[in-house]
Amino acid sequence: MYSFDELKTIADRNVADRKSLIGMKAESLLYMRENGFNVPDGFVVTAEELGAVTAEMLAEYADEAACYAVRSSGTSEDLAGASFAGQYESFLNVKGYAGLLTAIKACAGSIHNERVVAYAKRCNIDISESKMAVIVQRMVSSEKSGVAFSINSIDGRDKEILIEAVSGLGDKLVGGHATPDSYAYNWYDDEITIYNGGALTRQEVKTLGEVILDIQVLYGLPVDVEWAIVGESVHILQSRPITTISYRAIPSEWTTANFRDGGVSSAACKTLMASLYGLVFDHSFLNSLKTIRLLHKNENSSIYEVFFARPYWSLTMEKQCFARLPSFVEREIDEAMGVVPAYEGDGIVTRLGLSSLCSGFKVLSAVKTHIRDMESKAEQRKASLLEAFAAVERIDLSASSTDELHALWVKFVKNDYYKSEYTYFSYVFCNMILSVLFKAKIKKHLPENEVINLMLGLSDVSHMRPIYDAWAMSRRGYSEDEFNAFIEKYKHHSQHELDISYPNWDEMPEQVRSMIKDLGRLGNEHDPRALGEKQTQKYLDTLARVPKKLHKDIKQLRRFLWWREEFKDISTRSYLLIRRLTLALGRAWEREGVLQSADDIFFLSVSDIEEKNTINVSRNKKYYMSFTRFNSPNELGSRHTTSKAQADGARLLKGIACSGEAVTATARVIKDIHDCGRLEQGDILVTQCTDPAWTAVFGRLGGVVTETGGLLSHAAVISREYGLPCILLAKNATAVIRDGDIITMDCKTGIIRGGLL
């Protein structure tokens, strides 16, 4: 047995050891207690001691006259995907050593009850090796108690806290024997949106809401909290992750497609970065739709939103427009973008008819004109943007006044950055249109799994250039001058290229040295140029089997894919300059007392900075911190739920194959690029998504499996360049596939199985 204070010393040595010793619930209580939350004192009986514990032993930790709460703390309890809430036995107001001993043993024995076994089976969790520790805490004589959810898990509102409260102890509420009063508090706007009943005063709702928010910030994900109030003190009795969230009350259908693979939605996004995307995306997307006559000039709607600290865009708007085309098939659009369909069959399908044919003819005519215009201006736009960037880079920011820095920041963001990102988004949209139109033409000439060969072997793709140069340096060694020239040429890259608060290569050159060193360990068979040449030959072989009347379309599609990547690189260069300007302005504002820290500027929006309004820093920072460990869904809204994939016998998962042949190898489940050091040569990378910062890792891989991504995503493009087996859209792959599993990727069918084929 250990008192809470004794357990603190174990955590000082190794938190993992403590967690395995005392279970998830006890670990959570201690973690909150150690971070300043008012958690009642107590002790834990470990699983190993349960058989030997006696009333005499309890006398060292408990008071014979005091009342205690006895609760479970299993190693499989309070998980992010399964809470086991209410499955184990709990006992309140237990008094005396004999009573405590009886309650402890009964609580521990509940690990084998029927409802626990049934719950674990439903959640696909093996509890055969689970252990049960028991928590004993001083009872709180609650005047008011209840539960709270740090988000509105019913409607999917991410800034609204739900609270249920009763007078006295909360066991009546948890046991379903009392109807609670209910409240909703929008902490971001400091507004009580529901006030139903008088158990809590309005001030208590806000005070309690602030405590719940602070717990969510501590954990970085939505939490379910049991609480009690005595006088003016809020006691925290339990906290665990919210395991089920409904997004059906969010209007329309929203996705992170392209955003997640591009990097901006691959993790929680700070306010400024999300705001920069929002500054451009609406205009670029809507204007592109209007240009090709899929959207009327007077139609306007916001198609960009931030949910759970990640940017999303409206699938509903896109599909409503594309459905005006003849032969529109919703499933084909979703699969091309890496969206998991939320419907059976083909979804929305536009039948051929006079109206759709007429509309389609006008759109196709507008598309051809738009594509010609984009192609003719590409070189000029590239040169103009790079010239503008060079002019800003020549400015000595250290010699500029605060007002000059502010004016320069606003001018660059609203003009040069806007033009760069608008151009990039326009090419992304053009690629989307061309891919949809081309797929309709080619599907009767090639098997579906071979169509992707026509996008292999692109020459001189922007994100491969640093890999080519680094490979050459790794083969022959390099001088310091050569290394510095490499850094200067590619300084705009980083490990998180769409997080402008993260340092670039020129700020962390040792990362680049490590990358070159890793490439040097690979054999010559991993030469990226040689692999690219093989892919080019594969493209040419496939092209020869396609009717010549389609060759022009194929080459146009390849050119636009190349330009999309080129303008992505230019976009990345703009973010390097925004980072420099933002840091310079942030430091100036810190010196003048406008900001407490220069880094606080990353929690302001574009309009906040433009208007010199810093009042929102604190709440924006809390919003961001609330979701840093939350794995938000790729799609949400009225058509999407939070259903989980489960293993199905030998077949683990099915995704979309986009590159390579069949391969069997060891799976490495990598959640973050900083964990890539575990990858051994030939391993299959299993991850949520990749962005350009991962490119150097691909040279050592045997295959790639991602949970998200379409055929034009980063993982798809780079895998094709390397000739790697790649399966995208394998939903919940990082949960279903275990690190170290031997898996087989079948890149003809998109099926991933355990073991050999």
Side-chain angles (χ1 to χ4, degrees):
M1 288 187 289
Y2 295 89
S3 70
F4 282 2
D5 288 339
E6 289 170 336
L7 286 165
K8 173 66 170 67
T9 64
I10 294 177
D12 290 340
R13 297 195 299 271
N14 192 317
V15 172
D17 286 349
R18 186 173 79 173
K19 189 181 296 183
S20 63
L21 184 70
I22 65 176
M24 301 296 290
K25 185 182 295 180
E27 174 61 33
S28 177
L29 289 170
L30 287 163
Y31 183 58
M32 289 188 291
R33 181 181 170 94
E34 290 159 7
N35 280 277
F37 292 95
N38 189 9
V39 175
D41 198 11
F43 62 95
V44 178
V45 183
T46 66
E48 288 74 14
E49 295 173 299
L50 283 169
V53 66
T54 64
E56 290 74 22
M57 294 167 64
L58 293 172
E60 298 181 31
Y61 292 89
D63 183 342
E64 174 78 4
C67 289
Y68 291 88
V70 178
R71 294 185 294 159
S72 62
S73 184
T75 55
S76 298
E77 195 172 2
D78 291 357
L79 303 175
S83 68
F84 282 79
Q87 303 302 313
Y88 301 112
E89 298 291 344
S90 296
F91 302 90
L92 303 180
N93 285 314
V94 182
K95 195 172 182 180
Y97 301 139
L100 272 178
L101 184 60
T102 300
I104 288 169
K105 290 186 178 295
C107 179
S110 66
I111 193 172
H112 301 297
N113 71 33
E114 290 182 6
R115 65 173 180 261
V116 170
V117 173
Y119 181 87
K121 186 176 181 180
R122 285 198 307 273
C123 295
N124 199 34
I125 294 174
D126 181 5
I127 59 169
S128 60
E129 297 183 5
S130 295
K131 297 179 181 179
M132 172 75 80
V134 175
I135 307 165
V136 181
Q137 285 179 282
R138 287 262 186 174
M139 279 293 300
V140 175
S141 300
S142 310
E143 297 170 6
K144 305 171 182 183
S145 56
V147 296
F149 297 86
S150 61
I151 63 167
N152 187 328
S153 57
I154 299 171
D155 292 341
R157 287 194 281 271
D158 56 8
K159 300 183 181 76
E160 188 172 72
I161 296 170
L162 298 183
I163 300 170
E164 293 186 340
V166 296
S167 298
L169 294 178
D171 58 328
K172 302 188 295 295
L173 171 59
V174 175
H177 304 301
T179 301
D181 294 341
S182 56
Y183 313 90
Y185 174 52
N186 183 323
W187 64 266
Y188 194 85
D189 296 326
D190 190 23
E191 178 185 3
I192 295 175
T193 52
I194 297 175
Y195 187 81
N196 183 13
L200 298 179
T201 67
R202 289 182 174 273
Q203 184 54 52
E204 284 174 331
V205 170
K206 290 188 176 185
T207 299
L208 182 59
E210 289 168 2
V211 174
I212 303 305
L213 173 62
D214 287 343
I215 295 174
Q216 179 176 251
V217 168
L218 175 67
Y219 283 99
L221 47 75
V223 289
D224 163 2
V225 179
E226 293 181 20
W227 54 270
I229 291 178
V230 180
E232 296 183 356
S233 298
V234 177
H235 298 261
I236 302 302
L237 309 180
Q238 182 170 294
S239 176
R240 56 186 167 229
I242 295 175
T243 57
T244 303
I245 302 172
S246 170
Y247 306 101
R248 290 180 177 176
I250 296 175
S252 304
E253 184 179 17
W254 300 83
T255 183
T256 60
N258 292 324
F259 286 177
R260 184 178 290 261
D261 296 308
V264 75
S265 290
S266 60
C269 188
K270 294 185 176 72
T271 310
L272 179 54
M273 190 63 231
S275 176
L276 286 165
Y277 249 51
L279 177 70
V280 185
F281 189 79
D282 266 353
H283 295 166
S284 176
F285 200 95
L286 291 173
N287 288 346
S288 292
L289 287 168
K290 291 176 182 179
T291 299
I292 63 171
R293 304 181 72 171
L294 278 176
L295 192 66
H296 300 303
K297 290 185 178 180
N298 60 350
E299 288 184 86
N300 287 292
S301 177
S302 177
I303 58 171
Y304 176 89
E305 293 287 349
V306 174
F307 300 102
F308 303 94
R310 284 168 174 80
Y312 287 75
W313 59 276
S314 173
L315 269 174
T316 301
M317 167 67 80
E318 182 215 34
K319 289 177 181 179
Q320 286 174 348
C321 293
F322 277 51
R324 295 169 181 170
L325 290 172
S327 303
F328 168 81
V329 179
E330 185 178 15
R331 180 171 288 274
E332 291 182 359
I333 291 286
D334 282 339
E335 289 184 350
M337 292 188 301
V339 172
V340 177
Y343 46 83
E344 297 297 325
D346 286 334
I348 300 168
V349 176
T350 303
R351 304 299 177 189
L352 283 174
L354 184 60
S355 176
S356 64
L357 284 172
C358 181
S359 174
F361 177 79
K362 292 177 181 177
V363 169
L364 289 174
S365 177
V367 166
K368 289 180 180 179
T369 301
H370 183 54
I371 294 297
R372 282 198 300 268
D373 180 67
M374 295 289 286
E375 277 201 287
S376 66
K377 295 178 180 177
E379 288 286 1
Q380 178 188 347
R381 285 172 173 164
K382 174 183 175 181
S384 176
L385 289 169
L386 293 179
E387 183 180 346
F389 294 175
V392 173
E393 195 162 2
R394 288 192 292 268
I395 297 172
D396 183 0
L397 300 182
S398 64
S400 302
S401 68
T402 303
D403 286 343
E404 288 171 335
L405 287 172
H406 180 259
L408 182 59
W409 191 96
V410 172
K411 181 181 178 183
F412 182 79
V413 168
K414 299 300 266 312
N415 292 285
D416 298 330
Y417 163 74
Y418 182 90
K419 291 176 185 176
S420 170
E421 204 69 348
Y422 189 101
T423 303
Y424 169 54
F425 285 152
S426 296
Y427 275 87
V428 170
F429 184 79
C430 279
N431 270 274
M432 190 186 304
I433 292 289
L434 285 171
S435 296
V436 170
L437 296 176
F438 178 71
K439 190 170 183 180
K441 293 180 180 180
I442 196 69
K443 59 185 178 183
K444 56 187 172 184
H445 299 290
L446 278 179
E448 187 172 352
N449 65 309
E450 292 186 35
V451 172
I452 202 67
N453 292 349
L454 298 173
M455 288 185 270
L456 298 178
L458 293 174
S459 175
D460 191 34
V461 181
S462 61
H463 49 249
M464 290 300 295
R465 290 172 197 148
I467 304 304
Y468 293 154
D469 289 354
W471 177 268
M473 292 166 68
S474 74
R475 298 295 97 181
R476 53 176 165 70
Y478 56 88
S479 67
E480 196 63 19
D481 286 344
E482 188 177 4
F483 178 76
N484 291 335
F486 180 92
I487 291 291
E488 178 62 25
K489 185 176 181 180
Y490 300 115
K491 60 192 172 188
H492 54 293
H493 291 298
S494 78
Q495 284 193 327
H496 296 281
E497 295 192 349
L498 288 182
D499 179 356
I500 56 173
S501 67
Y502 195 85
N504 292 93
W505 276 1
D506 62 337
E507 299 170 79
M508 302 183 72
E510 290 309 310
Q511 285 184 352
V512 182
R513 292 188 192 276
S514 178
M515 177 186 74
I516 297 172
K517 188 175 180 180
D518 285 344
L519 291 174
R521 296 190 183 103
L522 299 176
N524 289 331
E525 68 274 14
H526 294 277
D527 183 343
R529 287 190 184 276
L531 292 171
E533 289 170 2
K534 288 182 180 179
Q535 297 303 95
T536 300
Q537 188 58 52
K538 193 171 184 179
Y539 151 66
L540 293 172
D541 292 343
T542 307
L543 182 67
R545 295 164 45 211
V546 175
K548 289 190 176 181
K549 64 181 180 179
L550 293 179
H551 286 201
K552 183 178 179 181
D553 291 332
I554 293 168
K555 291 175 181 178
Q556 184 181 60
L557 179 62
R558 289 171 63 85
R559 286 197 304 273
F560 264 82
L561 180 54
W562 187 91
W563 274 113
R564 189 194 78 158
E565 298 306 309
E566 193 72 3
F567 281 112
K568 178 190 285 187
D569 186 71
I570 293 170
S571 168
T572 306
R573 292 175 187 273
S574 76
Y575 287 120
L576 168 72
L577 295 175
I578 289 178
R579 172 171 169 77
R580 289 181 176 179
L581 290 167
T582 301
L583 281 174
L585 182 59
R587 289 168 186 144
W589 278 356
E590 180 184 11
R591 288 192 299 270
E592 296 178 3
V594 177
L595 293 173
Q596 288 187 340
S597 166
D599 286 344
D600 284 347
I601 197 169
F602 294 111
F603 294 99
L604 295 173
S605 68
V606 170
S607 60
D608 286 336
I609 295 175
E610 184 177 11
E611 297 164 10
K612 303 181 182 179
N613 174 22
T614 61
I615 195 172
N616 295 322
V617 166
S618 178
R619 62 179 177 173
N620 287 342
K621 189 180 293 187
K622 285 186 176 182
Y623 179 65
Y624 166 78
M625 294 297 294
S626 289
F627 302 107
T628 52
R629 294 181 56 236
F630 179 56
N631 184 21
S632 62
N634 304 323
E635 285 77 45
L636 50 77
S638 56
R639 298 175 77 184
H640 295 272
T641 63
T642 56
S643 59
K644 300 180 179 67
Q646 295 186 1
D648 178 20
R651 183 204 296 195
L652 292 179
L653 291 169
K654 187 176 189 306
I656 297 174
C658 78
S659 175
E661 307 296 336
V663 65
T664 299
T666 301
R668 288 293 170 215
V669 181
I670 304 292
K671 298 291 183 70
D672 185 271
I673 192 172
H674 296 293
D675 193 28
C676 282
R678 294 195 299 111
L679 285 165
E680 299 290 339
Q681 188 169 327
D683 283 350
I684 295 174
L685 168 66
V686 181
T687 191
Q688 292 179 346
C689 61
T690 69
D691 61 38
W694 293 68
T695 302
V697 173
F698 279 62
R700 75 180 87 153
L701 300 179
V704 180
V705 175
T706 66
E707 294 181 334
T708 66
L711 297 180
L712 299 180
S713 67
H714 173 266
V717 173
I718 299 300
S719 293
R720 291 196 291 268
E721 291 298 311
Y722 276 104
L724 284 175
C726 180
I727 295 177
L728 310 168
L729 214 60
K731 190 176 181 183
N732 287 320
T734 59
V736 176
I737 299 173
R738 294 171 299 184
D739 190 72
D741 278 352
I742 302 299
I743 65 171
T744 294
M745 300 170 58
D746 183 345
C747 292
K748 290 184 179 179
T749 63
I751 291 174
I752 306 163
R753 292 186 175 91
L756 301 173
L757 274 174

